[in-house]
Amino acid sequence: MSPPPPVPVEPEQAIAVVQHLLQTPEQFAAGFADTTRVELVAGTPGPVEGAAGSRYAEIPVTVEATHRDGRRVRYVGHYTLRRAMVDGASAEQRAWHIASADLREAP
């Protein structure tokens, strides 16, 4: 089975996705100031694991950024998704979101 095609990601979508990370949306956007296009290919998620009222899953990803000068940079790694499972958690807390990212520039 062939991998899924890359998905273009609009800056507004990317900012919304990373709001749970350690950067502010402004800091995240500044890191893409020279970027004209971002493509994300997500692999098959690993097993869902549980800990202290939460569920976690790792998803392997490849992210390719195209810069204004035409240079393309590829990053590989994974996103760790999290959702709360405790009584009283809000709908937002129960939704899957990116809890962390481990991406490295590919050679």
Side-chain angles (χ1 to χ4, degrees), residues 83-84 88-97:
R83 68 179 291 196
S90 68
E92 182 178 340
Q93 292 168 324
R94 289 183 179 276
W96 286 104
H97 62 273

Side-chain angles (χ1 to χ4, degrees), residues 13-95:
Q13 292 171 310
I15 290 169
V17 168
V18 298
Q19 291 208 4
H20 295 281
L21 300 178
L22 299 177
Q23 295 178 320
T24 66
E26 294 78 19
Q27 290 168 324
F28 180 79
F32 286 88
D34 184 45
T35 305
T36 60
R37 181 179 173 92
V38 175
E39 294 179 351
L40 169 73
V41 176
T44 302
V48 175
E49 298 178 11
S54 294
R55 298 292 181 263
Y56 295 89
E58 283 190 2
I59 299 179
V61 295
T62 300
V63 178
E64 189 166 294
T66 303
H67 294 271
R68 292 190 200 290
D69 62 5
R71 182 173 49 97
R72 296 179 74 138
V73 181
R74 193 166 61 99
Y75 301 90
V76 295
H78 69 269
Y79 290 143
T80 299
L81 302 184
R82 177 184 179 273
R83 68 179 291 196
M85 299 298 293
V86 296
D87 290 341
S90 68
E92 182 178 340
Q93 292 168 324
R94 289 183 179 276

